[in-house]
Amino acid sequence: MTDPNAAVRPVQAVILAGGQGSRLRPYTDDRPKPMVEIPGTGTPIIGHQLTWLAEEGVTDVVISCGHLADVLQKWLDTADLPVRVTTVVESEPLGRGGGLRYAAGHLPHPDKPWYATNGDIWTRFSLRDMADFHTERDAVATLALARPRIPWGAVKTDGFGHVTDFIEAPPSTFEINAGVYVFSAEFAGMLPERGDHERTTFPRLARERRLAGFTIPQGAYWRAIDTAKDLTEAAKELAALGR
């Protein structure tokens, strides 16, 4: 049976890999953040991302490089990649929105939708389902939403102030931007040439009801790799999952 949504799902993506990763030092002293390896996997974060994107039907990826770009480009030149990769480097800082627009300008199909992800996200969920969600809501942009675990234990009390339970690292009651996106073709032209799209383009689309939020399914793996502790926790979690 033919899948009616297959023809409109993205086959191209942008990975934003230009951050300095200062909170991951010393790991990022000699490599960009997406090149940091998750212990026990033998593969840098961006390698996991490229594999995931390929599994979700992506054929072409544009990687926006910055900090120690030559290290990332050297790895890409020698790795057995599952997708076609183009790298771009900003000649001057453009901000998150400007950098995204610049990278999108190098996508092979400018008239087609595209995915984007931050270079420090390690996750697995169905991008196909997210793309279908995006299409069904006629959105210009769709954000993946996650409920990260709070790094501290929580305390529950009753109406009288008695402690009733202790909960170790509970999930947040709020959803956050998970750093994975689906964009319609027109979105690239809405991005600022310089500056932050999360303070300009996203709020405008939200007011116009053209920004959607796709909640990552319960049980799907998601973690932002920001600190050395995140690396350690990711290694433990992946070992528990048998990956």
Side-chain angles (χ1 to χ4, degrees):
M1 183 176 178
T2 303
D3 186 343
N5 293 318
V8 296
R9 291 182 188 134
V11 295
Q12 55 186 357
V14 168
I15 297 177
L16 297 173
Q20 294 194 9
S22 57
R23 292 195 293 168
L24 260 176
R25 287 175 179 162
Y27 297 100
T28 50
D29 285 343
D30 61 354
R31 69 196 65 192
K33 195 176 184 182
M35 280 300 298
V36 173
E37 293 184 7
I38 298 173
T41 69
T43 302
I45 298 168
I46 200 163
H48 293 287
Q49 291 183 323
L50 292 172
T51 297
W52 174 50
L53 290 169
E55 291 171 350
E56 292 296 322
V58 172
T59 58
D60 293 89
V61 175
V62 175
I63 301 177
S64 178
C65 309
H67 175 64
L68 297 174
D70 58 319
V71 177
L72 175 54
Q73 290 170 325
K74 184 177 180 180
W75 180 82
L76 291 168
D77 288 341
T78 58
D80 182 16
L81 302 177
V83 294
R84 289 184 292 270
V85 171
T86 301
T87 59
V88 297
V89 181
E90 298 171 23
S91 57
E92 56 183 320
L94 300 175
R96 290 193 298 175
L100 190 59
R101 179 174 182 141
Y102 180 66
H106 292 78
L107 288 168
H109 310 290
D111 59 337
K112 301 290 186 182
W114 45 294
Y115 298 117
T117 182
N118 297 339
D120 58 356
I121 301 298
W122 175 204
T123 187
R124 282 292 189 279
F125 66 89
S126 174
L127 283 175
R128 292 181 174 91
D129 287 350
M130 185 176 172
D132 293 347
F133 179 94
H134 172 85
T135 300
E136 289 162 3
R137 279 144 189 83
D138 196 26
V140 172
T142 297
L143 291 64
L145 304 176
R147 291 185 184 272
R149 291 197 169 274
I150 298 171
W152 310 283
V155 179
K156 290 186 70 174
T157 60
D158 61 19
F160 295 99
H162 297 124
V163 174
T164 60
D165 201 1
F166 294 90
I167 305 172
E168 186 63 30
S172 168
T173 56
F174 294 99
E175 293 179 315
I176 67 164
N177 182 346
V180 180
Y181 311 90
V182 182
F183 297 134
S184 297
E186 63 189 290
F187 180 75
M190 299 177 178
L191 287 163
E193 294 188 2
R194 293 176 183 272
D196 189 348
H197 61 292
E198 294 193 11
R199 297 185 178 181
T200 54
T201 312
F202 278 175
R204 176 161 60 88
L205 289 175
R207 290 192 297 270
E208 296 170 353
R209 297 293 188 269
R210 295 195 292 167
L211 182 66
F214 174 83
T215 300
I216 295 176
Q218 186 174 5
Y221 188 79
W222 178 90
R223 179 176 282 276
I225 308 297
D226 290 320
T227 66
K229 183 178 180 181
D230 290 326
L231 281 175
T232 302
E233 293 298 320
K236 290 178 182 176
E237 291 161 354
L238 295 176
L241 292 170
R243 295 179 181 175

